[in-house]
Amino acid sequence: MSERILHLVCNSHIDPVWLWEWEEGLAETLATFRTAVRFCEAFDGFVFCHNEALLYQWTEEHEPALFASIQDLVARDRWHIMGGWYVQPDCNLPCGEAFVRQCLVGKTWFLDRFSREPRVAVNLDPFGHTRGLVQILAKAGYTGYLFCRPDRAFLPLPGDDFIWKGYDGSTVIAHRAPDHYNSRRGEAAERIERWLSEHPGISEGMLLWGVGNHGGGPSAADLGAIAALQGERTDIDIRHSTPEAFFSSLAERRRDLPEHAAGLNPWAVGCYTSMAEVKERYRRLENSLFLTEKMAAHAALNGLVDYPRDDIDAAVRDMLFASFHDILPGSCTVEAMEQALRRMDHGLELLARIRTRAFFSLLAGEPQAQPDELPVFVYNPHPVSVRCPIQMELQAAEPNFDSASYRMPEIQDRKGSPVPVQVEKESSSIRDDHRKRIVFTADLRPSSLTRYSVRFRQIPVNERPFPEQPEELHFDTGSAHLTINRNTGLLDLFRIGKTDLLSPGACRFLVMRDDADPWGMRVTSFTDTAGAFTLMSPEECGRAAGVEGDLAPVRIIESGPVRTIVEALFSHGSSAIVLRYKIPHEGTEVEVEARVHWAEPDRMLKLSLPTPLSGTLLGQTAYGVEEYHEQERELVAQKWLLQQSGNGKQALSVINDRTWGFDRRPGELRLSLLRSPAWAGHPVGTNRLITEQDRHTPRQDQGCRMFRFWLSGGDARERRAAVEFESRLKAEYPPALCCFPPGEGTGPVPAVTLSNPRVQLAAMKFSEKGNRLILRLFNPLETAESTRIALPVPGKRFSATLAAFEIQTLAIDLESGEAYATDLLERRLDKGMRP
C-alpha cells in the first residue's frame, strides 16, 4: 500500500433555488439522492458525501423510503453527513447570531435523525467568508473549514491548507479547494489524473468531484473509470473518503501550517449590494426574530404565555433559507426572489403574531385607563435602560368636529411628569383632525414595558404649530452643529465640539458605472462615477411631490420640541430621491432617510460622506469588528462603520438599517445602496455581452426603495464603546402601542438585566430541548468586559467576564435554577457561573 493518499470526496452541489424555483430544487434533490443510494449499494467502497439539512428534510417529507435508505447507509458509513449546516448561506451578510443558528439547527437535526455530528464545516459555493465565522465554528464543535472561494487570483493565501484565526483568538484548520467542487460527467478520472500531475510532491491531498449545480452527483461511468484508475496507480492510494478523514491528516501536521488572521474575501463584491429588496427583508427578519425571542421568553418566564417553540422554529428556518448563497447575495432569478420574499414574509407574520401575544400578556397588572387617557406602552427588549425617540400613531375615539380648534396631544410619564411631544404628518392623508403621529423621547426601564399617558387639549386652530422657513439652515443641538446648504440640499457642516466630522457637500448621491452582472465576478470595485443627483427645480419638485404649483427643493417640513426634519428633492436621469434630515433638539445623532425612486439600468447608487478624519476605519462583522485598510475597493460591513481621526481622539459613526457594501478613498466614505444588474446575469466568455441585445431585459431594484442612516460622533473611545449597542437598538427597536389594559393580573418582573451596557445580549431564547433559558452574550471590544446578570428567577444573580470579542452562551435550568456555560449547540461545558 502506498504511503501517498488522495481523498476523493464525492458530492453533488444542489442549489435549492437559483435559476429555478424550490420545487425544481426538490425534484433534483430526490433524483440525485436516489442515484447516490443506488451507487453506494452497487460500488464497493464508494462513499457519497452531502450536506445541508434542508435537502434531507425535503427527502424525509416527500420520499420517506428514500430517507430511510439514506439513514441505513449513514449507519454503515457508506453515506457521509457533510458540513452539518441548514444550507450553504452567504458567508458575509448574515449577522453572527444567524450563523450560530445555521450550526445549531443543522447539527441538532442531523444528530436527531442520523446520530452524526460533522466536525468539518463545508461552504463550497459561497462567495467569501467573514473572519467572525472562526469563533462560531470552534464553539459549535467544528475543527475544520472547507471552502472554494475566493480562488488564488482574488485572494493570495500562505497556502491552501492553513490555520484560520478569529477575532477572539479561536482557530480552526481551513482548506481551500482550488479545483472547486464540480467535475463534468464522465471526466472524473481525467480530473484525478490532472490533479496527480499537478501535485507530484504532496503526500496526502483531497479532491472534490461530482456533477453539481442542478443535481447530478456521481455517475456509473465515472465510478467505473475511478475503479480502473485505482487499480492502475500503485504509487498512490486513491480512496473514496470524507472531509473529516482528510482534515485528520491536516491535524497531524498542524504545527507546520501557516496562520491566516483575516477574512476570506473578496469575490463577487457586487453581491454586497445586489437585490436590495431581499436584503432589506432579510435584515428585517433577523431583527424581528431576535426581538421576538426576547419578548416571548420574557412573557414565558413570568408564566403569562407558553414559549411558542414551533412557530419560532419555523421563523428561524425561514430566515436560514433566505440566507442561502444565491438568495441573499442577489444572484437568483426574479421567480426565486419572489419565493424568498414570500418565505420571509411568512416568518415575519409568525413573529408579529408571537410578539403581539407577548406584548398584550405583559400588560398584566397594569391599571385600566382613566376616562380621558390614551395609554401608550413601550417595550424595551434590551437588558439596560434606554433613552430613545419613539414615533407612533394613535387617535381619539372620534374626529374633532370643531373647525375652530385643533386637538394637541400632551404626554405624561408614569410619575405624572410632562414629556415633550410633537405632532408630525401621519401616514394617512385624511385631512381632518383625528389621526395623530406623535414623536417623543422615552426613558425606558431594562427588559420591561414602560407606560405613558396621552391626553388631548383643544387649542385655537390658528395656534396650531407650523414650521418656519429660515433663510439659513443652521442647527445647534447643544452638542452638535449642522448646516444644510439650501442651494445644494447637502450637509455642509457636521461639527461636534470643535471637530468637523464631515466635509462640505456630504450626503451627495453618486451614480457609478456598472454592468448587468449581479455578482460582480470580474471586478473588485465600483469607482467609475457616471454622475450625481442634483436638486430639482421648484417646478420639478412640485410635479414630483404631487402638489399644486411649485415647491421649494429644500425646506423644513416638521419642527417641534423633539426634532426638526428638513426635506430635499433630487433627480438624476430617470430617477429621483426624497432626502430627509432628522435633526434632534438634543444629542449628536442625526438620521438621514432616503426614499429612492430608481430607474437606472446597469448603474450603482452610492451615498458619499466626505470626511476630514483620516485615521483607522472599523466596521461591524459577524460577532467581530474589522479594521479596513484598502482604498477604492468594494468592502463589506454589517450595521455600522466607525471612522477615527488621525490622532485617534475623535470618531464619526455611521449606522445603517439595510446596507452592507461600501468603499473608501482618501477623505471620503461611500456607502453602496443599490445596483441594477440583470436577474442572474452570469458572464459567459470574455467578449459576449451579458444580456440579449434584441429586447428589453428587466433589471433588479427598479422602483422605490427606502434607506436610513444615523450619523453621530465625538470622543473616539466613547463612540467605539457605544456604537455596537446603538446599532442593536436600531435593529431591535422598542415597539410602542396605544392599548387599553384590562386591569387584571400581577405585573411581570423584568427579564434579564445587565450592569454593563458594553456587553451585548445578542439572544435570549428557550433551549432547543429541555426547559432552559439560553442567553448569548457578546463582547464587541478589544478589551475584556465584566457584567452582573440578574434573572427573573428567584435569587438568580451572577457575574460573567468576557474576553475581547468573546461569545459566551449561558443556560439557566428553569426547574433547578442552576446556571452554567454551554457551547453554541447548548451542550453543557465544565464551567459554572460566579454568583
Side-chain angles (χ1 to χ4, degrees), residues 410-707:
E410 294 180 335
I411 297 185
Q412 293 180 334
D413 63 19
R414 188 179 292 270
K415 297 179 180 179
S417 301
V419 176
V421 61
Q422 73 183 60
V423 179
E424 296 181 354
K425 170 69 176 68
E426 69 280 6
S427 182
S428 61
S429 293
I430 303 175
R431 301 194 68 186
D432 63 2
D433 186 12
H434 192 198
R435 187 76 177 165
K436 303 287 184 183
R437 171 173 291 178
I438 61 173
V439 181
F440 64 98
T441 300
D443 290 293
L444 306 177
R445 298 170 297 169
S447 299
S448 301
L449 274 177
T450 299
R451 180 171 181 159
Y452 291 88
S453 296
V454 177
R455 292 176 172 85
F456 290 108
R457 65 183 176 92
Q458 303 290 113
I459 63 172
V461 71
N462 59 2
E463 294 182 12
R464 177 184 174 182
F466 287 96
E468 298 179 356
Q469 299 295 335
E471 189 172 330
E472 302 290 337
L473 296 176
H474 299 303
F475 304 94
D476 183 351
T477 73
S479 304
H481 299 270
L482 299 93
T483 298
I484 297 170
N485 190 319
R486 277 196 177 274
N487 296 318
T488 64
L490 304 179
L491 188 58
D492 276 355
L493 177 69
F494 183 39
R495 177 181 297 156
I496 295 178
K498 297 181 179 180
T499 302
D500 287 353
L501 300 178
L502 293 174
S503 302
C507 297
R508 183 187 304 275
F509 290 88
L510 304 176
V511 179
M512 319 305 292
R513 290 186 176 86
D514 200 350
D515 65 13
D517 169 12
W519 290 270
M521 290 185 181
R522 299 174 290 195
V523 301
T524 57
S525 63
F526 303 93
T527 56
D528 186 1
T529 304
F533 280 74
T534 57
L535 276 183
M536 294 181 184
S537 68
E539 181 181 4
E540 291 169 331
C541 281
R543 287 199 304 270
V547 302
E548 298 292 331
D550 295 349
L551 183 67
V554 182
R555 78 216 85 79
I556 296 174
I557 61 170
E558 305 286 358
S559 185
V562 179
R563 65 186 183 184
T564 298
I565 302 180
V566 178
E567 182 179 271
L569 272 65
F570 300 84
S571 64
H572 171 85
S574 300
S575 303
I577 293 176
V578 180
L579 179 64
R580 290 181 176 177
Y581 302 95
K582 300 182 181 181
I583 303 160
H585 282 208
E586 63 176 45
T588 63
E589 185 177 86
V590 177
E591 182 181 339
V592 178
E593 177 190 280
R595 185 183 298 272
V596 179
H597 299 266
W598 185 245
E600 310 298 320
D602 299 346
R603 292 290 185 267
M604 171 183 266
L605 179 66
K606 283 182 175 280
L607 173 64
S608 170
L609 297 174
T611 174
L613 306 185
S614 59
T616 300
L617 176 65
L618 302 175
Q620 184 194 55
T621 61
Y623 279 140
V625 176
E626 186 67 25
E627 183 173 332
Y628 301 92
H629 303 282
E630 302 88 344
Q631 298 278 351
E632 300 198 11
R633 198 185 89 180
E634 195 71 5
L635 304 168
V636 60
Q638 296 202 351
K639 297 183 180 74
W640 60 260
L641 293 170
L642 189 78
Q643 176 64 65
Q644 298 180 357
S645 60
N647 62 11
K649 294 183 178 180
Q650 300 294 316
L652 166 72
S653 61
V654 184
I655 297 172
N656 73 80
D657 74 334
R658 65 191 67 186
T659 65
W660 282 263
F662 72 99
D663 68 31
R664 64 189 300 228
R665 56 193 303 184
E668 185 181 23
L669 292 175
R670 301 191 297 191
L671 312 181
S672 302
L673 276 62
L674 285 170
R675 296 184 68 222
S676 46
W679 302 96
H682 198 302
V684 178
T686 56
N687 299 317
R688 295 176 64 181
L689 294 173
I690 292 174
T691 59
E692 301 286 349
Q693 299 298 294
D694 64 343
R695 69 197 65 213
H696 171 266
T697 300
R699 298 302 202 269
Q700 295 181 9
D701 280 316
Q702 305 294 286
C704 185
R705 300 287 182 267
M706 180 79 83
F707 300 89

Side-chain angles (χ1 to χ4, degrees), residues 12-30 33 50-56 58 85-89 102 125 212-215 320-327 332-333 335-337 339-340 343:
S12 175
H13 180 72
I14 305 174
D15 287 330
V17 298
W18 179 33
L19 308 181
W20 46 87
E21 299 167 64
W22 77 266
E23 296 89 345
E24 189 173 336
L26 164 63
E28 289 298 332
T29 297
L30 298 176
F33 282 9
H50 205 84
N51 57 342
E52 297 177 307
L54 171 66
L55 305 187
Y56 289 86
W58 282 354
W85 288 22
Y86 189 74
V87 297
Q88 291 187 52
Q102 285 285 351
D125 206 24
N213 252 7
H214 199 257
L320 299 181
F321 177 83
S323 71
F324 177 67
H325 66 262
D326 279 314
I327 294 174
C332 62
T333 62
E335 293 84 3
M337 182 204 74
Q339 284 191 332
R343 183 79 182 261

